[in-house]
C-alpha cells in the first residue's frame, strides 16, 4: 500500500481541500481521507493534487508542425502542410516522435491520451505486413512514456492522402478488429460517407467502444454536408446511428442550434480543442450552450501547437468571455471536470478522472510556489498554472514524473532528435 499525503487536493467539489491522504493499492485508489495529518510513512506531495489530466484529442504526428506552419492563410492552407508531413513518417520515426510527444504530455500532467489515429498505411497507401503497424507504434510509444492511451482508429475513405484510407468501411472494421482495446472514430463527414459511418457506428456499438468524429470544425464542412446530404454533419452522423452517450464530437465549432440540442439530448460529449482552434483560425465553439443543452465537455490539444491542459481549460472560458463579453461562464470546478473526468468518460475510461476509492490511481500534482502560482489560492490555481508547474504524475500507481522530470525520458532531447 502506497500512501500519498497531499497538501491540497481537488476531490470533485467546488474547491480543493487541505491535508488529504490518498492510499493506493496497486493501480487503484483504495482510500481518500481529508483533514488528516501526514503519517510519517507517507510520501508528501506539496502543492495541489488533481485527478490525472485527460488529453482527449491528439494527432501525435502533428507535433512536428509546431512553429513550422505559421504562414498566412486558413485551416485549409495549414492542412496542405499537414498532408505533406504525413507523407514523411514511417513506423520507426512515428514511434520516436509519438514517444517524445506523449512524454511531453506526461510532463504537462496528462495521464490519459485519446489518439485519433488516421495515418495508417505506407507510402502510396501500401499495406504494411501488419496493417496495424502504425497504430501499434502509437500504443508502444504511450506505454514507453508511461501514459495511458485509448487508440481511436479513424475510418478515412475519401480525400486526404492514400496513407489514411481503407478500401471501405468493412475493410476498416476488419483491420481494427485485430487491435485489442481500440476505440473507433469517423474522421469526418468529408472523409466517410453515411453508409460507412453506419458501419463504424455499428462496430463501436457492438463493443461498447468510444466513438469520436470531427464535427463542424469548419463552415466549409457544413456547406459540404448540406449540399451533399441536405443535413448538417451532426445530423448526418445521427442518421448513421453514431450519436449517443459513447459519442464525442470533436470541435463542434460551428454547430446549428438544432445540432446543439441534438448533441445535448443524446448525452454526447463535445471535445473542445481551443488552442488548436485559435491556431487554425477555426473560430470559437459554443461550449456553454452545449454544456447547457446536456453535452459533456472534454479537452484536447489536437495539433499540439501547445500541450498544456491548463491553457486549454482557461481558453475554454476565455473564448466564452470574448464571444459573450461576460466573465465566469464556467467555474474552476467545471473547467477541471472537463480536463479530467470529462476526458476519461469521453474515452470510455469510466473508472478514472477522480480522486475516489476504487478509481484508477492517476494523479497530477502542480506546484503552488512557482513564479506563476506563488500566492495564488488553491481554488484559483487553474487560472494561473501552466504545464510547466506540474511536479508529480502517477499513472496506475506508477510514478512517471518526479520533481518535474520524466522518470525515464529526456523529453527535450528526444523531441529534438525526433524532429531533426
Ligand atoms: Zn483533430
Amino acid at each position: 500500500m502506497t500512501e500519498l499525503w497531499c497538501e491540497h487536493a481537488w476531490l470533485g467539489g467546488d474547491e480543493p481541500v487541505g491535508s488529504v491522504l490518498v492510499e493506493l493499492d496497486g493501480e487503484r485508489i483504495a482510500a481518500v481521507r481529508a483533514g488528516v495529518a501526514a503519517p510519517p510513512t507517507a510520501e508528501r506531495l506539496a502543492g495541489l493534487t488533481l485527478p490525472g489530466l485527460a488529453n482527449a484529442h491528439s494527432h501525435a504526428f502533428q507535433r512536428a508542425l509546431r512553429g513550422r506552419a505559421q504562414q498566412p492563410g486558413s485551416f485549409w492552407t495549414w492542412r496542405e502542410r499537414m498532408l505533406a508531413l504525413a507523407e514523411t513518417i514511417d513506423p520507426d520515426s512515428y514511434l520516436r516522435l509519438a514517444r517524445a510527444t506523449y512524454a511531453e504530455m506526461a510532463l504537462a500532467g496528462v495521464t490519459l491520451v485519446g489518439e485519433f489515429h488516421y495515418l495508417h498505411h505506407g507510402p502510396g497507401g501500401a499495406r504494411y505486413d501488419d496493417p496495424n503497424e502504425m497504430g501499434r507504434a502509437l500504443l508502444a510509444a504511450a506505454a514507453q512514456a508511461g501514459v495511458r492511451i485509448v487508440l481511436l482508429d479513424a475510418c478515412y475513405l475519401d480525400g486526404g492522402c492514400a496513407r489514411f484510407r481503407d478500401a471501405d468501411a468493412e475493410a476498416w472494421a476488419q483491420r481494427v478488429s485485430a487491435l485489442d482495446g481500440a476505440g473507433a472514430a469517423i474522421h469526418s463527414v468529408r472523409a466517410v460517407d453515411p453508409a460507412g459511418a453506419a458501419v463504424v457506428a455499428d462496430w463501436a456499438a457492438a463493443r461498447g467502444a468510444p466513438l469520436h468524429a470531427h464535427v463542424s470544425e469548419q463552415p466549409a464542412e457544413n456547406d459540404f454536408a448540406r449540399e451533399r446530404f441536405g443535413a448538417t454533419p451532426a445530423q448526418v452522423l445521427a442518421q448513421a446511428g453514431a450519436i449517443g452517450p459513447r459519442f464525442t464530437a470533436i470541435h463542434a465549432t460551428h454547430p446549428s442550434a438544432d445540432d446543439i440540442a441534438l448533441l445535448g439530448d443524446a448525452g454526447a460529449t463535445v471535445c473542445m480543442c481551443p488552442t488548436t482552434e485559435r491556431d487554425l483560425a477555426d473560430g470559437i465553439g459554443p461550449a456553454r450552450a452545449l454544456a447547457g443543452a446536456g453535452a459533456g465537455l472534454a479537452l484536447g490539444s489536437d495539433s499540439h501547437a501547445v500541450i498544456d491542459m491548463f491553457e486549454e481549460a482557461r481558453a475554454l472560458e476565455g473564448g466564452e468571455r470574448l464571444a459573450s463579453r461576460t466573465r465566469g461562464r464556467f467555474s474552476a470546478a467545471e473547467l477541471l471536470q472537463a480536463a479530467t473526468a470529462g476526458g476519461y468518460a469521453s474515452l470510455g475510461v469510466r473508472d478514472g478522472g477522480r480522486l475516489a476509492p476504487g478509481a484508477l490511481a492517476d494523479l497530477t500534482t502542480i506546484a503552488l510556489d512557482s513564479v506563476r502560482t506563488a500566492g495564488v489560492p488553491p481554488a484559483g490555481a487553474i487560472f494561473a498554472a501552466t504545464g510547466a508547474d506540474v511536479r508529480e504524475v502517477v499513472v496506475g500507481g506508477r510514478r512517471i514524473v518526479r520533481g518535474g522530470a520524466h522518470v525515464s525520458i529526456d523529453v527535450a532531447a528526444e523531441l529534438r532528435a525526433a524532429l531533426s
Side-chain angles (χ1 to χ4, degrees):
M1 187 82 76
T2 304
E3 295 173 306
L4 302 171
W5 184 84
C6 311
E7 186 183 5
H8 304 277
W10 184 62
L11 304 182
D14 288 343
E15 295 195 0
V17 294
S19 304
V20 176
L21 184 65
V22 180
E23 293 177 289
L24 310 185
D25 185 8
E27 65 167 11
R28 288 185 185 269
I29 295 172
V32 179
R33 285 182 290 147
V36 178
T41 48
E43 182 175 353
R44 203 185 151 89
L45 300 178
L48 171 61
T49 298
L50 305 169
L53 305 177
N55 190 352
H57 188 66
S58 160
H59 307 290
F61 76 93
Q62 294 177 15
R63 173 63 178 81
L65 289 175
R66 185 184 297 177
R68 295 173 196 244
Q70 293 296 336
Q71 295 74 15
S74 67
F75 168 87
W76 302 102
T77 46
W78 170 88
R79 184 171 176 273
E80 293 303 315
R81 304 292 290 252
M82 183 273 287
L83 293 172
L85 166 68
E87 295 291 1
T88 67
I89 296 173
D90 64 27
D92 287 341
S93 62
Y94 207 15
L95 173 60
R96 287 195 300 275
L97 175 57
R99 169 184 145 105
T101 302
Y102 295 148
E104 181 185 353
M105 289 185 199
L107 288 182
V110 171
T111 52
L112 170 65
V113 59
E115 177 67 29
F116 193 111
H117 166 53
Y118 55 82
L119 182 48
H120 298 125
H121 303 299
R127 271 38 180 172
Y128 291 111
D129 290 344
D130 172 357
N132 287 309
E133 191 163 351
M134 295 291 262
R136 291 193 205 286
L138 292 164
L139 295 173
Q144 290 172 22
V147 173
R148 211 181 280 283
I149 186 171
V150 173
L151 186 71
L152 300 155
D153 195 297
C155 184
Y156 203 121
L157 304 178
D158 300 312
C161 100
R163 300 190 67 175
F164 302 167
R165 298 195 293 262
D166 288 303
D168 52 36
E170 286 74 16
W172 169 87
Q174 191 177 23
R175 179 175 60 71
V176 179
S177 294
L179 267 176
D180 283 346
I186 296 160
H187 180 276
S188 60
V189 298
R190 285 189 287 115
V192 181
D193 61 27
V199 171
V200 179
D202 287 348
W203 184 94
R207 289 161 181 76
L211 174 60
H212 287 207
H214 294 118
V215 177
S216 292
E217 181 176 8
Q218 290 291 325
E221 177 191 329
N222 289 352
D223 296 344
F224 170 88
R226 279 210 189 81
E227 282 164 28
R228 181 73 65 93
F229 310 117
T232 66
Q235 287 167 338
V236 171
L237 292 168
Q239 285 159 14
I243 296 185
R246 284 178 296 95
F247 180 76
T248 295
I250 309 298
H251 301 300
T253 307
H254 302 285
S256 69
D258 286 349
D259 293 341
I260 292 171
L262 190 167
L263 291 165
D265 289 346
T269 297
V270 174
C271 180
M272 298 270 173
C273 308
T275 68
T276 290
E277 288 145 13
R278 75 190 185 198
D279 184 67
L280 297 180
D282 283 350
I284 299 169
R288 182 71 261 175
L290 285 157
L297 292 180
L299 295 165
S301 66
D302 190 1
S303 69
H304 311 312
V306 175
I307 294 178
D308 186 334
M309 303 315 293
F310 298 101
E311 180 65 20
E312 298 295 343
R314 272 197 295 280
L316 194 68
E317 167 67 11
E320 282 283 325
R321 290 185 187 183
L322 289 170
S324 70
R325 288 176 288 164
T326 307
R327 306 181 78 230
R329 303 278 287 174
F330 290 104
S331 68
E334 287 174 312
L335 297 176
L336 281 169
Q337 166 80 12
T340 57
Y344 273 74
S346 160
L347 295 169
V349 185
R350 301 237 163 230
D351 49 356
R354 61 186 184 277
L355 301 179
L360 292 168
D362 295 0
L363 301 86
T364 292
T365 303
I366 57 172
L368 293 178
D369 59 357
S370 76
V371 292
R372 290 164 292 275
T373 58
V376 173
I382 192 161
F383 295 106
T386 72
D389 298 315
V390 169
R391 288 291 172 273
E392 316 293 333
V393 181
V394 173
V395 176
R398 262 184 65 217
R399 186 67 69 109
I400 62 167
V401 172
R402 187 182 294 281
H406 196 282
V407 294
S408 61
I409 295 176
D410 181 340
V411 182
E414 290 210 6
L415 282 166
R416 205 160 47 238
L419 295 170
S420 64

